[in-house]
Amino acid sequence: MVHKPNQPVTLANTRIVEIDGRTTHEAAVTVRLQVFPNPIVEIESDELPPKVFDKERFGVVLADGQRFEAILRTRTPGTRKGTLAPVTQPVTVIDKRVPLREVHFSIFNFPTILGKQTKHTNNRERGTAIPHTLIEASGWTIEMMGVLNIWDVEKRLNRERGFGVTYNGRIRRLDGAVFTVEEVETLLNALRVFLSFARGAWCSFASAKGKDENGNQSWLRWGARYVAPWNGNRLSWFRSHGGDDILSDLFPKFWNLIASGDGWEEALFRAIDWYLISNESALHVGIILNQAALERLSCQILQRRKKSKEPAGRFLCEAFQVSNLDPQIPRSCTELKGLQKAHAHCWENGLHLLVDIRNDLIHPTTKRRIAFHHAHLEAWNLGQWFIEMLLLRSLDYQGEYYNRLTTQHNDKESFVLVPWAQRGQGGS
């Protein structure tokens, strides 16, 4: 799929053939994924069947076999011109309940990554580098290829923000075997969450199409889950140069945790969701969400809930100890270090201090409120960093990451080895 950012993506040119199970006067329609201001699937027509104007919602069947429940979204008065929209989005419009051989998909707003797997195409003017990533995870093979105009897409997104398709992909079984829709939906959802964690903001799939063993389209999903508008300055731990190797190394570990059936799926999805929302929220909201994400991950790591009267700081510290992570405040957090020095008897480490700052936001009774207010930016940033470290440690990542606590974004010196790789696997 190739298109211009923030411009509608045409999904189908077809006809309406049924309304609520009854044959209707066929109406030509264009199905589009409207991208701006937010992605949404719409069905446009100049001659909508009269039945749709008298109903709150109705079943629709298109000539190509797509089925969905719809509502009338807009109408031009005095005409039959208007737009319909599926009630739920994304919406599965074809599901023949047969095994699939491969699934093709397109991705909104995942940034360009270059590395060993990058492919080069030649044209009359110059060679073009196209990002390419191949991931193998528990018998699955996932191929992601940047769209041919990915550099133009990113330039425009950096100017206008908004939404654009940056990658197309394909999923198959490594041995060529067939698989169920339920299996690939689970895999796609895990990939969406993982790629969003790498981006530092929600990305999503623009469409997904499945073919059966005879090459026929047997499954089709239109539309996107929530996707954050493009922001080239958004903070993320992910190193885009050489990022194909990071994805190939880490997603199989992410998938294995999810497939383990030990509660990791819900824990990872929930914690990453709060982490991503925090990364684009006001500081006070982000600080609260950061602690929620840290507590959810700690529950999973410790395999228990926090006791009713157990201090949150102590609970988080236990998870960090089990994970062999240091909860101390880094030297770069000067405001927080100053608070700790001025009140040495109150906070043993950064986790205890973050819990107190969060508590002050919800229960504002502390006399240290002004000092806390000045430290909100560092507290939010440190909380985000703690979440990244806890997640990357759980995935046994051994490579470089962008350290949000040290230098300016995209500065090469910002990319350092994770702490446990620096000191060795058995270090403290």
Side-chain angles (χ1 to χ4, degrees):
M1 180 184 292
V2 177
H3 82 293
K4 295 180 180 179
N6 299 322
Q7 298 298 310
V9 179
T10 299
L11 300 174
N13 290 297
T14 182
R15 304 180 311 281
I16 293 178
V17 296
E18 287 184 18
I19 298 290
D20 281 343
R22 297 183 180 181
T23 303
T24 185
H25 174 74
E26 293 193 8
V29 296
T30 298
V31 183
R32 289 193 176 96
L33 181 57
Q34 299 291 349
V35 176
F36 193 83
N38 290 296
I40 184 172
V41 175
E42 291 186 338
I43 299 90
E44 303 175 356
S45 178
D46 291 334
E47 47 181 19
L48 288 173
K51 296 178 182 179
V52 307
F53 300 117
D54 300 323
K55 294 175 174 284
E56 290 186 3
R57 59 173 63 189
F58 37 86
V60 175
V61 179
L62 303 182
D64 299 326
Q66 300 95 333
R67 297 172 177 268
F68 53 91
E69 190 175 18
I71 58 173
L72 180 66
R73 184 170 170 82
T74 65
R75 179 186 183 184
T76 302
T79 72
R80 289 168 55 188
K81 183 177 181 179
T83 61
L84 311 178
V87 173
T88 60
Q89 300 204 20
V91 55
T92 298
V93 292
I94 294 178
D95 187 356
K96 296 183 178 179
R97 300 290 176 176
V98 298
L100 304 177
R101 180 75 70 185
E102 64 180 19
V103 167
H104 295 255
F105 59 89
S106 299
I107 304 174
F108 273 130
N109 284 16
F110 189 71
T112 302
I113 54 175
L114 295 176
K116 296 177 182 177
Q117 299 184 41
T118 298
K119 294 188 175 181
H120 296 268
T121 61
N122 293 315
N123 55 34
R124 294 179 181 178
E125 298 178 0
R126 57 184 174 84
T128 302
I130 301 296
H132 177 262
T133 297
L134 186 65
I135 303 171
E136 294 181 359
S138 298
W140 294 99
T141 176
I142 304 168
E143 185 176 20
M144 291 171 46
M145 180 76 78
V147 296
L148 293 178
N149 62 334
I150 190 167
W151 301 108
D152 294 330
V153 170
E154 283 217 358
K155 286 179 182 177
R156 184 164 177 176
L157 287 173
N158 284 329
R159 292 195 308 266
E160 303 176 6
R161 301 198 176 185
F163 308 90
V165 172
T166 54
Y167 282 80
N168 295 316
R170 180 175 64 178
I171 293 174
R172 292 181 295 178
R173 293 294 297 178
L174 206 54
D175 60 2
V178 295
F179 48 87
T180 66
V181 169
E182 290 76 15
E183 287 175 321
V184 79
E185 283 186 318
T186 302
L187 182 67
L188 280 169
N189 196 34
L191 183 63
R192 178 183 72 95
V193 174
F194 178 77
L195 293 178
S196 299
F197 173 51
R199 181 195 171 202
W202 278 111
C203 52
S204 189
F205 302 112
S207 65
K209 305 175 183 178
K211 296 182 178 180
D212 62 25
E213 50 193 335
N214 296 317
N216 300 317
Q217 182 172 273
S218 300
W219 180 67
L220 176 61
R221 191 175 70 190
W222 285 336
R225 298 184 185 275
Y226 173 73
V227 53
W230 185 271
N231 183 345
N233 295 318
R234 197 182 305 276
L235 292 176
S236 167
W237 63 272
F238 185 70
R239 178 170 55 84
S240 58
H241 185 73
D244 49 10
D245 294 331
I246 297 175
L247 297 183
S248 298
D249 174 50
L250 275 193
F251 181 73
K253 299 174 183 177
F254 186 84
W255 176 248
N256 286 340
L257 281 181
I258 289 173
S260 67
D262 293 333
W264 275 104
E265 180 176 3
E266 192 276 338
L268 288 170
F269 288 7
R270 185 66 58 86
I272 289 174
D273 183 36
W274 288 333
Y275 161 80
L276 296 175
I277 296 173
S278 171
N279 208 23
E280 56 182 328
S281 296
L283 293 179
H284 64 287
V285 176
I287 290 170
I288 294 169
L289 289 175
N290 284 346
Q291 182 171 326
L294 286 169
E295 288 194 25
R296 185 62 192 88
L297 288 172
S298 296
C299 284
Q300 182 61 32
I301 291 167
L302 299 175
Q303 288 294 295
R304 69 175 182 86
R305 297 183 179 181
K306 184 174 76 68
K307 299 173 184 176
S308 59
K309 294 184 179 181
E310 181 179 11
R314 184 185 302 169
F315 180 68
L316 298 180
C317 284
E318 184 180 344
F320 269 57
Q321 183 178 13
V322 169
S323 301
N324 200 15
L325 290 173
D326 185 359
Q328 295 302 320
I329 301 172
R331 288 191 300 270
S332 57
C333 298
T334 55
E335 290 284 349
L336 296 179
K337 292 292 284 187
L339 277 175
Q340 187 182 40
K341 184 176 180 180
H343 306 278
H345 63 286
C346 296
W347 306 297
E348 297 177 18
N349 54 51
L351 291 172
H352 288 287
L353 180 51
L354 293 186
V355 168
D356 263 14
I357 293 176
R358 175 265 184 194
N359 289 343
D360 179 68
L361 287 170
I362 297 177
H363 311 290
T365 59
T366 177
K367 297 178 181 179
R368 296 185 289 268
R369 188 175 308 122
I370 295 177
F372 280 170
H373 179 76
H374 289 306
H376 279 179
L377 176 58
E378 282 190 359
W380 165 78
N381 211 25
L382 180 60
Q384 289 278 97
W385 184 74
F386 277 154
I387 296 169
E388 290 167 352
M389 294 301 98
L390 208 54
L391 284 166
L392 293 176
R393 187 61 165 140
S394 298
L395 296 173
D396 192 30
Y397 180 57
Q398 300 293 322
E400 290 185 341
Y401 76 104
Y402 170 73
N403 188 345
R404 62 169 62 228
L405 300 179
T406 54
T407 52
Q408 295 298 314
H409 190 48
N410 289 330
D411 186 331
K412 290 182 179 179
E413 295 181 0
S414 305
F415 296 96
V416 296
L417 284 172
V418 288
W420 51 92
Q422 290 176 344
R423 63 181 181 249
Q425 275 288 93
S428 60

